[in-house]
């Protein structure tokens, strides 16, 4: 069931194939979908792509994580409506962060050759703001965005700055990406201060290779944390359900 190369994003192809299978009755309401690894092999895509597809299907109400045991079909919708909904969800957090890792790594390498002491001092201030936002649990990662855009600006290349700002705009506006990041925040994922500090220190050495490596490491860690957070979501939901059942049992036992 290898998705065709028809211009759609990979996760959208997986969503379309699974929603069609649900519509045709191949997967019935209440049925458990195959494990993530099996779906990745079937569609010849990465596990992060399957994860994005599962979250998209969840958002659309077609599937749900149940009792920590996997992803289950909830209902059926007309195929056309599903396809439109998948298109509306736009880009996912894995795909976006992969693009950022490639592009911002090179931006950091160039910035290492052009950044000024004043701009490095500005990054130190933004780091402090980022740490404060983490403590206060401020959503939106505004300081995080300022940090990465400041590095782009220090390249003295307006096209690079535009691309970095555009990637952040997509991050904030895409429903799928926003949902994935919100779910990550719910399980405790926050901007990594140490990673950002390592980027600043690499820039301070004016070494392009160190700056590139620091940025690659940081955004690679973001992808790993997204994987962990979305994987934990099903378990966390199951734990909440168990806790609710325990409370209900205790209430009945006290009667």
């Amino acid at each position: 069931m290898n998705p065709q190369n028809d211009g759609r994003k990979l996760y959208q192809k997986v969503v379309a194939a699974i929603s069609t299978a649900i519509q045709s009755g191949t997967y019935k309401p209440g049925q458990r979908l195959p494990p993530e690894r099996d779906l990745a092999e079937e569609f010849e895509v990465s596990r992060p792509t399957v994860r994005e597809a599962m979250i998209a299907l969840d958002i659309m109400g077609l599937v749900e994580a149940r009792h920590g045991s996997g992803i289950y079909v909830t209902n059926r919708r007309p195929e056309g409506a599903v396809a439109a909904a998948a298109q509306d969800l736009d880009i996912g957090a894995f795909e976006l962060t992969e693009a950022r890792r490639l592009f911002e790594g090179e931006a950091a390498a160039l910035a290492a050759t052009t950044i000024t002491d004043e701009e490095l001092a500005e990054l130190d201030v933004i780091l402090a703001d980022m740490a404060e936002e983490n403590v206060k649990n401020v959503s939106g990662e505004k300081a995080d965005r300022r940090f990465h855009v400041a590095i782009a600006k220090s390249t003295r290349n307006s096209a690079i700055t535009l691309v970095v700002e555009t990637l952040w705009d997509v991050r904030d506006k895409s429903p799928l990406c926003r949902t994935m990041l919100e779910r990550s925040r719910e399980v405790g994922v926050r901007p990594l201060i140490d990673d950002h500090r390592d980027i600043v220190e690499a820039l301070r050495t004016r070494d392009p290779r160190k700056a590139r490596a620091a940025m690659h490491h940081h955004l690679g860690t973001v992808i790993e944390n997204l994987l962990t957070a979305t994987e934990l979501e099903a378990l966390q939901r199951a734990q909440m359900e168990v806790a609710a059942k325990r409370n209900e049992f205790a209430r009945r036992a006290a009667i």
Side-chain angles (χ1 to χ4, degrees), residues 131-149:
E132 184 175 358
E133 284 187 1
N134 281 356
V135 171
K136 295 181 178 179
N137 194 25
V138 177
S139 62
E141 284 79 41
K142 294 180 181 179
D144 195 4
R145 175 177 179 138
R146 284 167 49 211
F147 181 91
H148 288 273
V149 171

Side-chain angles (χ1 to χ4, degrees), residues 91-108 130 141 143-149 151 163-172 177 181 191 196 199 212 215-220 222-223 226:
I91 195 168
F94 293 123
E95 188 178 4
L96 179 69
T97 307
E98 181 181 47
R100 287 186 56 207
R101 185 174 184 271
L102 291 171
F103 193 86
E104 292 194 46
E106 296 309 307
M130 197 184 304
E141 284 79 41
D144 195 4
R145 175 177 179 138
R146 284 167 49 211
F147 181 91
H148 288 273
V149 171
I151 291 174
V163 171
V164 171
E165 288 182 326
T166 299
L167 287 171
W168 275 88
D169 287 342
V170 171
R171 179 184 186 274
D172 294 336
C177 187
L181 292 167
H196 288 84
I199 294 170
R212 181 188 294 112
M215 185 64 78
H216 280 174
H217 172 77
H218 163 54
L219 291 172
V222 170
I223 292 173
L226 278 168

Side-chain angles (χ1 to χ4, degrees), residues 182-190 228-230 232-233 236:
E182 286 172 356
R183 293 182 180 187
S184 296
R185 174 172 283 279
E186 287 172 4
V187 295
V189 174
R190 301 287 184 275
T228 301
T230 51
L232 285 174
E233 187 199 7
Q236 184 185 50

Side-chain angles (χ1 to χ4, degrees), residues 65-70 187 228-242:
R66 188 181 299 171
H67 304 305
S69 63
V187 295
T228 301
T230 51
E231 198 167 41
L232 285 174
E233 187 199 7
L235 176 60
Q236 184 185 50
R237 187 181 302 177
Q239 290 172 336
M240 291 174 64
E241 289 175 359
V242 170

Side-chain angles (χ1 to χ4, degrees), residues 66-100:
R66 188 181 299 171
H67 304 305
S69 63
I71 305 296
Y72 290 77
V73 176
T74 57
N75 59 44
R76 303 179 191 177
R77 291 172 59 189
E79 188 174 349
V82 170
Q87 193 69 35
D88 289 343
L89 288 171
D90 203 11
I91 195 168
F94 293 123
E95 188 178 4
L96 179 69
T97 307
E98 181 181 47
R100 287 186 56 207

